[in-house]
Amino acid sequence: MNFWEYNNMQIIDGKKIRNEILEQLKEKVETLPFQPIFCDIVVGDDPVSHSYVKIKEKTAESIGIKFRKIEFANSATTEDIIEEINNLNNVPYMCGIIVQLPLPSHIETEKVLDTINPSLDVDCLGQVASENFYNNQNEMGYPTALACAHLIDEVCKELKDKKVVIVGQGRLVGKPVAHLLRSRGLDVSIINSKTENKKEIIERSDVVISGVGRGKFITRDMVKSGAIIIDAGTSEENGSIVGDVDFKDMSDIDGFITPSPGGVGPVTVAMLLENVLKVAKNKK
């Protein structure tokens, strides 16, 4: 089972689900006639960004994908990064390029992301890859959005009669998750800062997905018993990472919930590497 109990909650074990996905990916990587390369570009010395890169490096190498980290000083220019990406686009067996965000304020982020060859844009953040995703013309998808959908499927395979609410319509979570689930014909509502009756909408929903990055924003009185709660938001509180959902406050929901950390994050990395494998298969 990919769940563990906490009072009356069923906790969705993102790490265990990630490990199952990685085991399948490793078997598929081993069948390739070449070793795929995955590259992460990081600018500056932010310890959180470097920590995330290290996790991706360790995970990629654990399944046989060669990892390359390209580091730039904070003083790097947009042109410096673009030149490097143009070189990486032409590396044989390159199967994925991402840029660790956020970039320093002086860097033209969109210009940098659009330089990545769309066929190697495994984060789907460049304009072409993003448009292909929303036009259902891209095998790959936004990793965090794919992770949210995968976690929901672990809990409930049949969502047709369920009401789904997405809190936040950000680029990485809210908007792409809404597209994925609506593509399945599901009843999806989106809550943003201008939405009225937020609490009432959440209370009526069977599935709650949050990605606003506001610590403990969703409390027990906002969700109904038996709900599925996917917490994809993170923020810092007293030096610790917390999710959008007040986890301890949910002890009697008698439903399913992802912890933060340990829920959406690990599965997101697995989905990212699944995108890398898709690129590799096309090269094959």
Side-chain angles (χ1 to χ4, degrees):
M1 291 290 290
N2 291 327
F3 314 102
W4 48 278
E5 287 192 15
Y6 174 73
N7 292 332
N8 290 325
M9 292 189 296
Q10 291 289 322
I11 314 302
I12 307 171
D13 192 337
K15 292 181 180 179
K16 188 172 182 181
I17 294 168
R18 171 203 60 195
N19 291 342
E20 290 179 352
I21 298 169
L22 292 178
E23 186 175 338
Q24 295 171 9
L25 293 180
K26 184 176 182 180
E27 292 176 359
K28 294 174 182 177
V29 169
E30 289 172 350
T31 67
L32 295 171
F34 63 90
Q35 184 180 30
I37 303 171
F38 169 46
C39 182
D40 196 344
I41 298 169
V42 59
V43 183
D45 55 5
D46 177 61
V48 175
S49 291
H50 281 272
S51 175
Y52 286 148
V53 174
K54 191 68 179 176
I55 290 170
K56 293 169 191 172
E57 177 180 16
K58 182 180 179 180
T59 309
E61 291 182 343
S62 75
I63 63 171
I65 293 174
K66 185 175 182 180
F67 186 88
R68 285 183 63 177
K69 178 172 69 172
I70 306 295
E71 296 181 84
F72 284 95
N74 196 67
S75 58
T77 66
T78 299
E79 290 68 29
D80 292 334
I81 302 169
I82 285 175
E83 181 181 1
E84 181 63 34
I85 291 174
N86 280 326
N87 291 332
L88 292 169
N89 283 335
N90 295 308
V91 171
Y93 307 137
M94 180 62 70
C95 295
I97 301 171
I98 65 172
V99 176
Q100 200 65 38
L101 300 179
L103 291 171
S105 58
H106 68 279
I107 302 291
E108 297 176 78
T109 298
E110 300 306 320
K111 199 171 179 181
V112 166
L113 295 174
D114 287 342
T115 304
I116 299 172
N117 184 321
S119 68
L120 302 176
D121 187 357
V122 289
D123 257 345
C124 290
L125 294 179
Q127 183 177 349
V128 173
S130 178
E131 288 178 355
N132 287 341
F133 169 77
Y134 286 108
N135 290 325
N136 299 316
Q137 296 174 343
N138 195 346
E139 281 188 77
M140 299 181 290
Y142 289 77
T144 306
L146 292 172
C148 290
H150 188 93
L151 287 163
I152 294 169
D153 288 339
E154 284 284 324
V155 176
C156 182
K157 299 293 185 184
E158 185 51 69
L159 293 167
K160 194 167 291 184
D161 298 323
K162 305 289 186 184
K163 289 188 179 296
V164 180
V165 65
I166 299 172
V167 185
Q169 54 180 5
R171 177 181 188 178
L172 300 181
V173 182
K175 188 179 176 183
V177 170
H179 175 75
L180 282 175
L181 298 183
R182 283 173 174 164
S183 295
R184 300 185 186 182
L186 301 180
D187 178 4
V188 179
S189 301
I190 297 180
I191 289 176
N192 58 36
S193 58
K194 297 179 181 178
T195 304
E196 297 181 0
N197 304 319
K198 296 181 179 67
K199 185 173 182 290
E200 290 79 4
I201 295 172
I202 296 173
E203 281 179 329
R204 294 195 300 265
S205 300
D206 303 294
V207 181
V208 179
I209 305 164
S210 186
V212 292
R214 291 177 59 184
K216 301 180 181 178
F217 173 70
I218 296 178
T219 52
R220 175 64 186 93
D221 62 314
M222 298 171 71
V223 297
K224 69 179 184 179
S225 291
I228 299 168
I229 305 173
I230 306 296
D231 189 352
T234 57
S235 55
E236 188 174 333
E237 183 180 279
N238 300 322
S240 300
I241 299 298
V242 297
D244 289 352
V245 179
D246 191 343
F247 185 83
K248 290 183 179 179
D249 196 32
M250 299 289 168
S251 60
D252 67 339
I253 66 165
D254 194 27
F256 294 86
I257 187 171
T258 59
S260 183
V264 174
V267 182
T268 296
V269 176
M271 293 293 104
L272 174 65
L273 295 177
E274 187 169 67
N275 280 345
V276 173
L277 178 61
K278 288 176 181 177
V279 176
K281 285 183 173 180
N282 286 333
K283 283 185 180 290
K284 180 181 176 183

